[in-house]
Amino acid sequence: VKPSLDPPANGGANAGIDASPLLSVRNIEVVYDEVILVLRGLSLDVPRGAVVALLGANGAGKSTTLKAISGLLKTENGEVTRGEIVFDGERIDGGDPVRTVRRGISQVMEGRRIIADLTVLENLRLGAFTRRDKEVARDIEMVFAYFPRLKERTGLAGYLSGGEQQMLAIGRALMAKPTMILLDEPSMGLAPQIVDEIFEIVRDLNARERVSFLLAEQNTMTALRYADYGYILENGRLVMDGAAGELARNEDVKEFYLGISA
């Protein structure tokens, strides 16, 4: 199923945003190894149909936030000790990661985490492991329509370029038919041209497939160029939030996160 080349009927990626949140993170605290406090009273919302950027330096707590939502904290001896996470009206904090995927949340991990010893096609089929429907083959073609470069790669995924591996990781997440994708550091280690290509596809997926995105990113200005709203973290605390355009024009953001001063 090839995506239409015409502009989306809703007029753009953010034209179809529902004001009601699809995801609400409410005043959560996250602790590792029962003693290390990483997130402190963090709250954020992702409206249905939105692209929301979670920004901050390395170690600010971005990846921890995504893992708290997806249920992967348990794999690192972490837990949400206070607050709650609500997705589509149902509380999910502390839940099983597989069940979270079935509810409609897929996570693309930092560093891609594709399976190098499997082919592109096998990686995509693996992304559909929670599904019981008969539309997997159709959705593989949909992924290839968004990422045509992947269709040309028939060897093992470990031989893909970094950009192609990132495309495969997003495509694998799409195979679970998510309502929301958590995208962790998609620009890491990639050339600017490839980063822009990937973010353009994210925007298309948001507009045409109605997938909401929460993306954690150090590349502040690139993320804000494609997002609808942004949150900025420092040391596990929320220090600033606002519409993406407003944050991009904010002098404090430019000075502290880009080193640009008026």
Side-chain angles (χ1 to χ4, degrees):
V1 181
K2 188 173 180 60
S4 169
L5 298 179
D6 297 325
N10 61 22
N14 61 4
I17 294 175
D18 188 332
S20 63
L22 174 62
L23 174 75
S24 287
V25 177
R26 300 173 179 168
N27 199 35
I28 67 167
E29 291 187 352
V30 169
V31 173
Y32 284 101
D33 298 320
E34 300 183 351
V35 293
I36 304 171
L37 181 61
V38 177
L39 296 182
R40 303 165 175 84
L42 177 68
S43 296
L44 62 83
D45 288 334
V46 179
R48 191 181 301 272
V51 177
V52 173
L54 187 60
L55 308 167
N58 187 35
K62 304 186 303 297
S63 294
T64 294
T65 302
L66 299 191
K67 291 173 184 175
I69 296 166
S70 64
L72 292 176
L73 281 179
K74 295 177 180 178
T75 66
E76 299 177 353
N77 202 24
E79 63 176 328
V80 177
T81 56
R82 182 176 297 179
E84 61 182 15
I85 301 171
V86 178
F87 177 73
D88 204 12
E90 185 176 356
R91 188 167 172 177
I92 63 170
D93 47 283
D96 175 65
V98 174
R99 192 175 177 198
T100 300
V101 172
R102 290 194 172 116
R103 283 185 176 124
I105 298 177
S106 291
Q107 181 168 353
V108 178
M109 302 287 286
E110 178 183 338
R112 274 80 85 172
R113 308 286 183 93
I114 54 98
I115 301 189
D117 292 333
L118 297 181
T119 66
V120 166
L121 191 57
E122 288 167 341
N123 269 275
L124 292 177
R125 287 174 176 158
L126 185 64
F129 80 100
T130 62
R131 295 174 55 177
R132 299 293 181 266
D133 60 272
K134 299 180 180 179
E135 298 179 349
V136 171
R138 187 203 67 176
D139 287 342
I140 287 174
E141 290 305 312
M142 181 266 291
V143 170
F144 285 153
Y146 280 102
F147 303 103
R149 205 179 305 178
L150 294 180
K151 191 169 187 177
E152 303 168 2
R153 303 296 187 258
T154 57
L156 297 180
Y159 293 106
L160 298 176
S161 68
E164 290 166 346
Q165 289 186 12
Q166 185 66 73
M167 294 174 186
L168 177 56
I170 296 172
R172 184 177 60 186
L174 284 170
M175 290 303 300
K177 294 185 76 70
T179 310
M180 172 178 289
I181 290 180
L182 310 175
L183 191 52
D184 198 354
E185 301 288 359
S187 74
M188 180 177 288
L190 302 181
Q193 181 179 353
I194 301 299
V195 172
D196 286 340
E197 181 180 350
I198 287 172
F199 272 96
E200 289 285 354
I201 294 170
V202 166
R203 186 157 62 183
D204 281 349
L205 288 166
N206 171 250
R208 303 180 193 284
E209 308 300 331
R210 306 305 302 138
V211 179
S212 304
F213 283 86
L214 176 60
L215 58 96
E217 183 58 76
Q218 290 187 57
N219 191 335
T220 301
M221 285 299 123
T222 297
L224 290 177
R225 194 161 70 244
Y226 290 94
D228 303 302
Y229 201 85
Y231 293 88
I232 298 178
L233 293 180
E234 276 187 10
N235 300 319
R237 294 182 183 274
L238 178 66
V239 295
M240 192 181 300
D241 68 288
E246 294 175 1
L247 289 178
R249 293 187 294 270
N250 186 292
E251 292 301 324
D252 288 337
V253 173
K254 291 180 180 179
E255 182 171 355
F256 292 113
Y257 296 97
L258 293 178
I260 300 171
S261 175

